[in-house]
Short mmCIF file of all heavy atoms in Angstrom, two decimals:
data_model
loop_
_atom_site.label_atom_id
_atom_site.label_comp_id
_atom_site.label_asym_id
_atom_site.label_seq_id
_atom_site.Cartn_x
_atom_site.Cartn_y
_atom_site.Cartn_z
N ASP A 27 -0.80 -9.65 16.20
CA ASP A 27 0.37 -10.20 15.51
C ASP A 27 0.16 -10.55 14.14
O ASP A 27 -1.05 -10.43 13.64
CB ASP A 27 0.91 -11.44 16.38
CG ASP A 27 0.04 -12.67 16.23
OD1 ASP A 27 -1.09 -12.56 15.58
OD2 ASP A 27 0.41 -13.76 16.62
N VAL A 43 -4.71 -2.79 9.67
CA VAL A 43 -3.88 -1.87 10.52
C VAL A 43 -3.47 -2.75 11.74
O VAL A 43 -4.28 -3.05 12.58
CB VAL A 43 -4.69 -0.68 10.98
CG1 VAL A 43 -3.72 0.30 11.65
CG2 VAL A 43 -5.33 0.05 9.75
N TRP A 53 6.63 0.77 27.51
CA TRP A 53 5.18 0.57 27.19
C TRP A 53 4.98 -0.72 26.43
O TRP A 53 3.88 -0.91 25.86
CB TRP A 53 4.61 1.76 26.49
CG TRP A 53 4.39 2.95 27.40
CD1 TRP A 53 3.89 2.87 28.62
CD2 TRP A 53 4.68 4.29 27.05
NE1 TRP A 53 3.85 4.16 29.16
CE2 TRP A 53 4.32 4.99 28.23
CE3 TRP A 53 5.23 4.91 25.97
CZ2 TRP A 53 4.43 6.36 28.31
CZ3 TRP A 53 5.33 6.30 26.02
CH2 TRP A 53 4.96 7.00 27.18
N GLN A 55 4.16 -3.41 27.29
CA GLN A 55 3.24 -4.35 27.97
C GLN A 55 1.96 -3.56 28.30
O GLN A 55 2.02 -2.35 28.41
CB GLN A 55 3.88 -4.85 29.31
CG GLN A 55 4.31 -3.75 30.20
CD GLN A 55 5.26 -4.33 31.31
OE1 GLN A 55 5.69 -5.43 31.28
NE2 GLN A 55 5.51 -3.46 32.28
N ARG A 58 -2.46 -6.95 32.46
CA ARG A 58 -3.06 -8.31 32.34
C ARG A 58 -3.85 -8.62 33.57
O ARG A 58 -3.87 -9.71 34.13
CB ARG A 58 -2.00 -9.32 32.04
CG ARG A 58 -1.60 -9.21 30.60
CD ARG A 58 -0.54 -10.27 30.17
NE ARG A 58 0.76 -9.76 30.56
CZ ARG A 58 1.84 -10.53 30.55
NH1 ARG A 58 1.79 -11.79 30.24
NH2 ARG A 58 3.00 -10.04 30.86
N MET A 62 -10.63 -5.10 30.05
CA MET A 62 -11.78 -4.70 29.24
C MET A 62 -13.06 -4.90 30.03
O MET A 62 -13.20 -5.86 30.82
CB MET A 62 -11.83 -5.55 27.98
CG MET A 62 -10.61 -5.32 27.14
SD MET A 62 -10.73 -6.08 25.61
CE MET A 62 -9.02 -6.33 25.22
N VAL A 67 -26.46 -0.42 29.15
CA VAL A 67 -27.64 0.36 29.67
C VAL A 67 -28.72 -0.72 29.85
O VAL A 67 -29.21 -1.34 28.96
CB VAL A 67 -28.15 1.40 28.61
CG1 VAL A 67 -29.41 2.07 29.13
CG2 VAL A 67 -27.06 2.38 28.32
N LEU A 79 -2.44 -0.25 25.79
CA LEU A 79 -1.63 0.80 25.19
C LEU A 79 -1.33 0.46 23.76
O LEU A 79 -2.24 0.48 22.93
CB LEU A 79 -0.35 0.92 25.99
CG LEU A 79 -0.51 1.58 27.42
CD1 LEU A 79 0.69 1.39 28.26
CD2 LEU A 79 -0.81 3.07 27.29
N LEU A 85 9.50 -3.84 18.09
CA LEU A 85 9.66 -3.39 16.68
C LEU A 85 10.38 -4.36 15.87
O LEU A 85 9.93 -4.77 14.72
CB LEU A 85 10.36 -2.01 16.76
CG LEU A 85 10.80 -1.47 15.35
CD1 LEU A 85 9.60 -1.11 14.49
CD2 LEU A 85 11.63 -0.16 15.56
N LYS A 121 10.27 4.51 8.97
CA LYS A 121 11.23 4.07 7.86
C LYS A 121 11.54 2.58 7.99
O LYS A 121 11.54 1.88 7.00
CB LYS A 121 12.45 4.95 7.86
CG LYS A 121 13.44 4.56 6.85
CD LYS A 121 14.31 5.72 6.41
CE LYS A 121 15.36 5.29 5.42
NZ LYS A 121 15.17 4.12 4.61
N VAL A 124 8.63 0.63 6.82
CA VAL A 124 8.52 0.77 5.31
C VAL A 124 9.54 -0.02 4.63
O VAL A 124 9.30 -0.71 3.53
CB VAL A 124 8.50 2.22 4.89
CG1 VAL A 124 8.58 2.41 3.35
CG2 VAL A 124 7.25 2.93 5.43
N GLU A 165 9.25 13.22 5.36
CA GLU A 165 10.58 13.30 4.84
C GLU A 165 11.35 11.97 4.82
O GLU A 165 12.21 11.78 3.98
CB GLU A 165 11.38 14.28 5.71
CG GLU A 165 11.24 15.72 5.30
CD GLU A 165 11.78 16.75 6.27
OE1 GLU A 165 12.70 16.36 6.93
OE2 GLU A 165 11.31 17.93 6.30
N PRO A 183 -11.21 20.33 12.88
CA PRO A 183 -10.86 21.00 11.70
C PRO A 183 -9.37 21.60 11.73
O PRO A 183 -8.67 21.44 10.77
CB PRO A 183 -11.89 22.10 11.54
CG PRO A 183 -13.04 21.61 12.33
CD PRO A 183 -12.51 20.82 13.48
N ILE A 229 -20.05 5.33 20.77
CA ILE A 229 -19.29 6.49 20.43
C ILE A 229 -19.50 7.02 18.99
O ILE A 229 -18.95 7.97 18.53
CB ILE A 229 -17.74 6.21 20.65
CG1 ILE A 229 -17.17 5.25 19.59
CG2 ILE A 229 -17.49 5.73 22.06
CD1 ILE A 229 -15.64 5.26 19.55
N THR A 233 -17.66 10.08 16.82
CA THR A 233 -16.65 9.87 15.73
C THR A 233 -17.15 10.27 14.36
O THR A 233 -16.42 10.80 13.51
CB THR A 233 -16.11 8.39 15.80
OG1 THR A 233 -17.29 7.54 15.76
CG2 THR A 233 -15.33 8.12 16.98
N SER A 255 -20.86 -1.29 13.28
CA SER A 255 -21.21 -2.73 13.50
C SER A 255 -22.19 -3.24 12.45
O SER A 255 -22.53 -4.40 12.44
CB SER A 255 -21.84 -2.86 14.87
OG SER A 255 -23.03 -2.19 15.00
N GLY A 267 -18.52 11.66 4.17
CA GLY A 267 -17.26 12.01 3.61
C GLY A 267 -16.16 11.01 3.71
O GLY A 267 -15.11 11.27 3.11
N ARG A 298 -29.12 -1.86 -4.66
CA ARG A 298 -30.54 -1.40 -4.52
C ARG A 298 -30.70 0.04 -4.89
O ARG A 298 -31.75 0.43 -5.48
CB ARG A 298 -30.90 -1.64 -3.08
CG ARG A 298 -32.31 -1.20 -2.68
CD ARG A 298 -32.78 -1.86 -1.41
NE ARG A 298 -31.99 -1.59 -0.21
CZ ARG A 298 -32.03 -0.46 0.49
NH1 ARG A 298 -32.87 0.48 0.19
NH2 ARG A 298 -31.28 -0.30 1.60
N HIS A 328 -44.43 21.84 14.42
CA HIS A 328 -45.10 21.42 15.67
C HIS A 328 -45.60 20.00 15.50
O HIS A 328 -45.78 19.52 14.42
CB HIS A 328 -46.25 22.40 16.01
CG HIS A 328 -47.32 22.49 15.00
ND1 HIS A 328 -48.29 21.59 14.88
CD2 HIS A 328 -47.50 23.40 14.05
CE1 HIS A 328 -49.08 21.92 13.87
NE2 HIS A 328 -48.64 23.05 13.32
N GLU A 333 -54.17 9.98 14.69
CA GLU A 333 -55.05 9.34 15.68
C GLU A 333 -55.30 7.84 15.39
O GLU A 333 -55.65 7.07 16.27
CB GLU A 333 -56.39 10.08 15.77
CG GLU A 333 -56.16 11.42 16.41
CD GLU A 333 -57.50 12.18 16.66
OE1 GLU A 333 -58.56 11.62 16.38
OE2 GLU A 333 -57.39 13.34 17.14
N CYS A 339 -50.83 5.50 24.79
CA CYS A 339 -49.84 4.95 25.82
C CYS A 339 -49.36 6.04 26.75
O CYS A 339 -48.93 5.74 27.83
CB CYS A 339 -48.71 4.26 25.11
SG CYS A 339 -47.54 5.41 24.32
N ALA A 350 -47.37 20.26 26.14
CA ALA A 350 -48.07 20.54 24.88
C ALA A 350 -48.72 19.34 24.29
O ALA A 350 -49.36 19.46 23.18
CB ALA A 350 -47.03 21.06 23.91
N ALA A 373 -39.69 11.27 18.70
CA ALA A 373 -38.54 10.35 18.89
C ALA A 373 -38.98 9.13 19.83
O ALA A 373 -38.52 8.08 19.57
CB ALA A 373 -37.37 11.11 19.54
#
Side-chain angles (χ1 to χ4, degrees):
D27 74 350
V43 187
W53 285 318
Q55 57 192 9
R58 281 181 280 168
M62 295 187 208
V67 176
L79 289 166
L85 172 63
K121 179 153 175 24
V124 170
E165 271 170 29
I229 72 165
T233 48
S255 63
R298 176 162 60 79
H328 60 82
E333 292 186 0
C339 71

